[in-house]
Amino acid sequence: MIVLADLTKRYGEKTAVDHLSFQIQPGVVTGFLGPNGAGKSSTMRMILGLDRPTAGTVEIAGRPYRDIAYPLRTIGALLDPRTGHPGQSARSHLLGMARSNRLPSSRVDHVLGAVGLAEVARKRIGSFSLGMGQRLGIASALLGDPQIVMLDEPVNGLDPDGVVWIRKLMRSLAAEGRTVFVSSHLMSEMQETADHLIVIGRGALIADAPIDQVIAQSTRNSVKVRSPQTASLREALERAGMTVTTLEDSELQVTAGNLDQVGAIAFSIGAQVDELAFHRPSLEQAYLELTADSLEYDAILPRPTGT
Amino acid sequence: MSSISGSPATGAKTRGGPSRLGSSIAFEWTKLTSVRSTWWNVTISSVVTIALGLLLGGSMKASADNGYDVAMPAPHVAFQSLIAAQFLVMVMATLFIASEYTSGSIKTTLQSVPVRARMLFGKVAVIAAIGLVIGVVQSTIGTAAIALLAGDYSSFTATELSLTILGSAVDFALLGITALGLATAFRSATGTIIATVGLFGLPRIVPIFNIEWLTDFSQYFPTEAGTVLGLQTTAPYGWSTATLVLLAWAATALTAGYAVLHIRDA
Ligand SMILES: Nc1ncnc2c1ncn2[C@@H]1O[C@H](COP(=O)(O)OP(=O)(O)OP(=O)(O)O)[C@@H](O)[C@H]1O
Ligand SMILES: [Mg+2]
């Protein structure tokens, strides 16, 4: 378990992480989401004791990172695909890490095999592709067989096989009861992998909830109803306080209402219903809605040029 | 997907303070020796030392044959030719930490050994050991190269040889630690190497300005102290002061490095 209490980080004037408090539980995959510059990587660097918090604390399994004697055995992390010295081979990079934490060298060969790098183990890291670097980073994270695994954008640069592999890896780590904390910008991937979500924007907490709840809270949950009498049906639904948009001539989209309510209203005014369906938004839609107000780097649209 | 815990992660060895330090040293040793530039560095400085030794030995013999009095113990001549080797040890120590900032691998290092002092001590121990060995080897091969060509004109006693070997070892180790401390503070190879060039060059330039206190001060630069150890001279001070001077440089540079490591984010 990782516990953040009031964690704050300022870089000069810039507040990168703003009074974050949350806990990351074992046995589930916790997704860490937020727009570019939201403070995800900064938070992870503080968890690892690389950056010093301006205020607040982080504890890993009850202790600050620096107090863990052999930290690789407790928490493994991938921060940056550029791990290690470019002149070193993958194997000697991992071997050094293993020696630093008194891990047997059999672990090195094991993780190299597990991430599919056994054949290039003696090649220089500098010659690795982005995806190979990412795999080596994951090997480093798994080296100490840690109970906590933290990955910053692990699928970045991986081929489709690699993406599936990472998803299965995270699921199996969580199933073994480990704590899995992973950041990503790929919402479809997160939707399939994560059980719980932590969403931040501009360094502050926006959501900390199970993924189903995050999606359920979205206003984009809607009911689609098809009927020949859209005009009267629309009026009746709006009278009941629902928001209605006309999709096509005979199709309405209703938000702030559920299937039973829409069906009952249609019945009460005697409208014929040809189709009634619930539309559940994707995680991406729910996420975009959540973070709409806290985009760090909002796209600037071209202005119409006038004279 | 196979489970990641295929082989046991925890060794049977006992834990404890000294072993943590030992594992940090083993880590740094693995890093330094598994990078090719380290071996290039060692090879180049050995080649330079042998070449310079042969050149000096040959010219000593030629001058002596022509009636000039150039006789000098081979170890002392050798030490004077070790300036390039000294510089390369400092470059090696500089790259040892600066390249970690360039490549980003400092994050891996501090993730593995989060206590800053322990990490730095691991590097200090490795550089000290490497410096001692290089000092011994370089002064020995330099002496051999000179004696080979200069023969009797470079005759020396066993005491002279042992003292020069010892002096070189101490000098190289402490110069390496000084560079390591500076590089930890600067976090950049370029800045540190410029500072190192300054440490080597200033004592030679400063007398030109004829400012007395500056000239006095330049006698306490590391290369000057190193020369006292290598040549067993008694001026401007003896071996004990020279050792203290080198220790003071190393300690100051390390303190600066540790302070930066402690205060700044990785
Ligand atoms: N070392 C640093 N010095 C100064 N500012 C920094 C530093 N590290 C991060 N920042 C700033 O802090 C903010 C948060 O950055 P961070 O990298 O944590 O965001 P992120 O959520 O990981 O973004 P992304 O999704 O793009 O990876 C950004 O505005 C960034 O410019
Ligand atoms: Mg990031």
Side-chain angles (χ1 to χ4, degrees):
Chain A
M1 188 159 87
I2 306 175
V3 181
L4 279 69
D6 217 26
L7 194 68
T8 301
K9 179 70 185 181
R10 274 189 287 276
Y11 296 105
E13 293 282 281
K14 171 92 201 165
T15 301
V17 176
D18 197 1
H19 299 282
L20 273 188
S21 299
F22 57 79
Q23 302 190 351
I24 306 156
Q25 302 292 346
V28 291
V29 175
T30 302
F32 194 23
L33 311 181
N36 288 132
K40 302 180 295 297
S41 301
S42 305
T43 303
M44 288 182 164
R45 283 199 303 274
M46 286 190 282
I47 291 174
L48 298 175
L50 293 172
D51 284 13
R52 186 180 287 274
T54 309
T57 56
V58 191
E59 287 192 346
I60 296 122
R63 282 169 300 173
Y65 193 89
R66 288 187 202 200
D67 291 356
I68 309 175
Y70 296 117
L72 300 181
R73 297 180 185 185
T74 303
I75 173 171
L78 160 77
L79 273 195
D80 196 326
R82 290 181 321 146
T83 22
H85 188 291
Q88 250 186 326
S89 72
R91 192 168 191 285
S92 51
H93 166 67
L94 292 172
L95 202 58
M97 290 181 80
R99 289 187 176 145
S100 74
N101 276 243
R102 306 200 121 223
L103 297 163
S105 58
S106 58
R107 283 297 301 168
V108 171
D109 299 311
H110 180 75
V111 293
L112 278 169
V115 303
L117 289 179
E119 266 156 41
V120 290
R122 288 173 199 280
K123 290 242 162 67
R124 291 171 58 243
I125 296 174
S127 70
F128 278 17
S129 69
L130 176 60
M132 287 160 80
Q134 201 72 284
R135 284 168 189 267
L136 179 61
I138 291 159
S140 317
L142 301 180
L143 185 64
D145 196 6
Q147 276 304 307
I148 307 174
V149 176
M150 184 168 83
L151 310 170
D152 196 3
E153 299 190 39
V155 297
N156 184 13
L158 287 185
D159 54 25
D161 281 347
V163 174
V164 173
W165 167 69
I166 282 280
R167 186 198 305 156
K168 288 186 179 160
L169 172 69
M170 290 193 289
R171 296 293 341 153
S172 71
L173 290 172
E176 289 167 14
R178 301 179 207 245
T179 305
V180 183
F181 187 45
V182 56
S183 83
S184 180
H185 289 297
L186 293 181
M187 292 303 141
S188 52
E189 202 37 53
M190 271 290 128
Q191 189 157 14
E192 300 207 27
T193 316
D195 307 292
H196 193 96
L197 292 181
I198 288 168
V199 185
I200 62 170
R202 298 211 177 109
L205 193 66
I206 294 179
D208 176 0
I211 188 163
D212 293 334
Q213 201 176 317
V214 169
I215 294 173
Q217 275 168 358
S218 167
T219 61
R220 312 244 173 143
N221 286 287
S222 62
V223 174
K224 192 176 79 174
V225 54
R226 202 152 58 81
S227 164
Q229 294 114 319
T230 41
S232 54
L233 182 55
R234 182 179 181 137
E235 212 182 285
L237 291 168
E238 282 176 343
R239 236 181 293 122
M242 301 176 189
T243 315
V244 186
T245 30
T246 306
L247 295 178
E248 284 169 38
D249 278 355
S250 59
E251 226 173 78
L252 298 177
Q253 189 185 14
V254 187
T255 49
N258 60 33
L259 283 177
D260 303 357
Q261 294 165 328
V262 174
I265 289 169
F267 182 74
S268 71
I269 63 161
Q272 175 187 334
V273 172
D274 297 331
E275 187 186 342
L276 187 61
F278 186 74
H279 174 74
R280 187 179 142 96
S282 65
L283 173 61
E284 182 166 66
Q285 289 170 318
Y287 166 83
L288 288 173
E289 195 183 340
L290 269 178
T291 55
D293 296 336
S294 57
L295 282 183
E296 185 87 354
Y297 305 107
D298 211 349
I300 298 168
L301 298 170
R303 287 161 204 268
T305 45
T307 40
Chain B
M1 169 59 221
S2 66
S3 163
I4 64 155
S5 34
S7 65
T10 39
K13 291 168 191 161
T14 50
R15 301 177 182 207
S19 66
R20 280 181 217 169
L21 216 47
S23 45
S24 145
I25 294 171
F27 182 27
E28 299 300 340
W29 178 260
T30 309
K31 279 190 281 183
L32 188 70
T33 53
S34 65
V35 180
R36 223 178 290 168
S37 64
T38 304
W39 300 110
W40 275 116
N41 208 317
V42 171
T43 311
I44 291 172
S45 59
S46 305
V47 168
V48 169
T49 300
I50 293 172
L52 270 179
L54 293 175
L55 207 68
L56 285 170
S59 72
M60 275 171 76
K61 168 128 175 75
S63 307
D65 286 346
N66 287 327
Y68 295 97
D69 178 20
V70 290
M72 191 176 178
H76 293 177
V77 184
F79 185 82
Q80 287 170 311
S81 73
L82 290 188
I83 185 127
Q86 286 178 323
F87 188 71
L88 284 171
V89 163
M90 293 186 84
V91 169
M92 183 193 289
T94 300
L95 292 177
F96 193 26
I97 181 117
S99 72
E100 293 221 21
Y101 283 98
T102 316
S103 70
S105 61
I106 188 71
K107 295 202 182 89
T108 307
T109 298
L110 290 175
Q111 234 171 285
S112 309
V113 183
V115 178
R116 301 320 191 236
R118 199 188 303 153
M119 184 280 278
L120 192 57
F121 187 83
K123 284 195 188 290
V124 168
V126 167
I127 279 298
I130 290 262
L132 285 172
V133 171
I134 295 183
V136 168
V137 171
Q138 297 282 348
S139 52
T140 308
I141 61 175
T143 302
I146 288 159
L148 185 72
L149 292 188
D152 286 347
Y153 303 117
S154 66
S155 62
F156 53 89
T157 65
T159 314
E160 280 166 342
L161 178 62
S162 347
L163 286 178
T164 296
I165 290 177
L166 182 67
S168 308
V170 171
D171 179 45
F172 277 50
L174 291 173
L175 284 182
I177 295 172
T178 304
L180 183 72
L182 288 177
T184 311
F186 286 137
R187 295 191 174 184
S188 118
T190 323
T192 312
I193 289 171
I194 290 172
T196 303
V197 171
L199 286 182
F200 275 75
L202 276 180
R204 262 137 257 228
I205 294 168
V206 155
I208 300 169
F209 299 116
N210 219 353
I211 304 168
E212 198 178 334
W213 67 265
L214 204 58
T215 310
D216 287 348
F217 179 66
S218 74
Q219 293 177 339
Y220 294 94
F221 269 52
T223 45
E224 305 307 291
T227 306
V228 171
L229 292 185
L231 304 185
Q232 298 103 50
T233 56
T234 47
Y237 39 71
W239 66 268
S240 53
T241 309
T243 309
L244 283 177
V245 166
L246 283 172
L247 276 173
W249 279 95
T252 309
L254 268 189
T255 308
Y258 178 74
V260 170
L261 209 50
H262 187 73
I263 294 164
R264 280 184 62 178
D265 291 332

